Amino acid sequence: MYKFRAAAWLLAATFVPAFLPDAAVDAATLRVMSSGGFTAAYKILGPQFSAQTGNTLETELGPSMGQSYEAIPNRLARGESADVVIMVGYALDELIRQGVVDPQSRVELADSRIGMVVRQGQTVPDIRTERALRETLLQAKSVAYSDSASGVYIEKELFTRLGISAQMQGKASKIPKIPVATVVADGQYEIGFQQVSELLPVSGVSFAGRIPESVQSVTRFAAGIPVNAPHPAEARALLEYLAAPGVQSIVKDTGLDSVEK
């Protein structure tokens, strides 16, 4: 767990939406559960929100789906309390369907595309076309992909669309819990695939680019407020801030794409 706290130096340069109060009379501590794809943007925007409102954000990171102990749906199922959940859109929709998250609270945040990395110092392959991507995958001795939305797509659809499912058996592996780029940086795998926003923050790798749009899978990240949230009003202000037009340049700088209205 880590805490985002107000920092005075952020105030001067921070975008201030009209819906935020000038100061929080009774500051709240909001508990946020966030999955990987939006984390880089959230680590910048969260402290800015805290600086403007006086509210503290306590954040737990975990995947949007899967069987791991840290997965957001599993945390909520165990009875852990949260004011805000930030996750893959269709996983959030399932929590809404289950009655766990308020359907009226759903806010769309950003679109995330899949990219590829190699170990720093290695030749960066050209993956701008389907043919080039296919050849890169066939030539690679080992391939890593995530256990979240991008990895599900790669395992279940991308290899099939490229016609190389059989060739990838035995050399393509799903990496649970940790960023895929870390196992490429330490030499365990030759190339790695994950959402761009999760690849860019990792040192020790070189970014090869996004996979071609013709075989790309776009993951929508969204956020919502659990029905038993302790601070729903403050949570709503946080969601509006994260989705505000004035912060989109920051969102894009982390490798995400703004949601087209």
Side-chain angles (χ1 to χ4, degrees):
M1 182 191 299
Y2 56 86
K3 293 185 178 182
F4 290 142
R5 297 189 181 277
W9 62 269
L10 288 166
L11 290 172
T14 300
F15 164 73
V16 184
F19 52 77
L20 290 177
D22 292 333
V25 177
D26 296 312
T29 297
L30 304 183
R31 190 159 191 248
V32 179
M33 296 182 183
S34 180
S35 60
F38 196 75
T39 299
Y42 173 74
K43 283 183 175 180
I44 299 170
L45 299 175
Q48 294 183 357
F49 173 83
S50 291
Q52 293 171 26
T53 64
N55 296 316
T56 298
L57 304 183
E58 292 189 350
T59 305
E60 298 284 356
L61 300 179
S64 296
M65 61 199 77
Q67 302 304 312
S68 72
Y69 186 84
E70 298 86 357
I72 293 173
N74 298 337
R75 289 181 181 276
L76 297 175
R78 292 195 299 269
E80 292 188 32
S81 176
D83 292 287
V84 167
V85 291
I86 301 170
M87 54 199 302
V88 171
Y90 62 80
L92 178 66
D93 291 338
E94 176 60 21
L95 292 180
I96 290 173
R97 188 192 67 79
Q98 295 173 7
V100 177
V101 172
D102 177 6
Q104 301 303 314
S105 70
R106 190 184 192 280
V107 172
E108 296 184 336
L109 297 177
D111 285 334
S112 181
R113 284 171 164 79
I114 299 170
M116 193 191 91
V117 292
V118 298
R119 191 177 187 184
Q120 193 170 48
Q122 301 300 307
T123 300
V124 179
D126 178 4
I127 60 168
R128 290 176 292 180
T129 66
E130 286 187 40
R131 181 176 180 178
L133 175 63
R134 183 177 186 275
E135 289 304 310
T136 296
L137 284 163
L138 290 175
Q139 292 175 19
K141 294 181 175 62
S142 57
V143 178
Y145 56 91
S146 81
D147 65 344
S148 194
S150 62
V152 171
Y153 169 74
I154 289 169
E155 182 181 62
K156 303 296 184 183
E157 297 186 46
L158 179 62
F159 294 157
T160 300
R161 293 175 66 176
L162 294 174
I164 59 173
S165 293
Q167 295 94 317
M168 300 310 295
Q169 290 183 11
K171 71 172 184 178
S173 302
K174 182 184 295 183
I175 307 301
K177 299 183 182 180
I178 61 175
V180 170
T182 61
V183 298
V184 176
D186 66 14
Q188 293 184 57
Y189 291 86
E190 187 175 334
I191 61 176
F193 294 87
Q194 198 165 15
Q195 290 159 356
V196 175
S197 59
E198 297 183 75
L199 296 174
L200 295 182
V202 180
S203 60
V205 295
S206 297
F207 182 57
R210 300 180 178 192
I211 66 174
E213 201 65 23
S214 57
V215 290
Q216 182 64 257
S217 176
V218 180
T219 299
R220 174 66 52 85
F221 277 87
I225 303 171
V227 294
N228 60 351
H231 307 100
E234 292 86 350
R236 167 60 67 181
L238 173 59
L239 295 192
E240 291 177 350
Y241 183 79
L242 296 176
V247 304
Q248 293 309 300
S249 61
I250 293 174
V251 171
K252 292 177 181 178
D253 284 346
T254 65
L256 296 167
D257 298 310
S258 296
V259 175
E260 294 185 5
K261 302 297 184 181

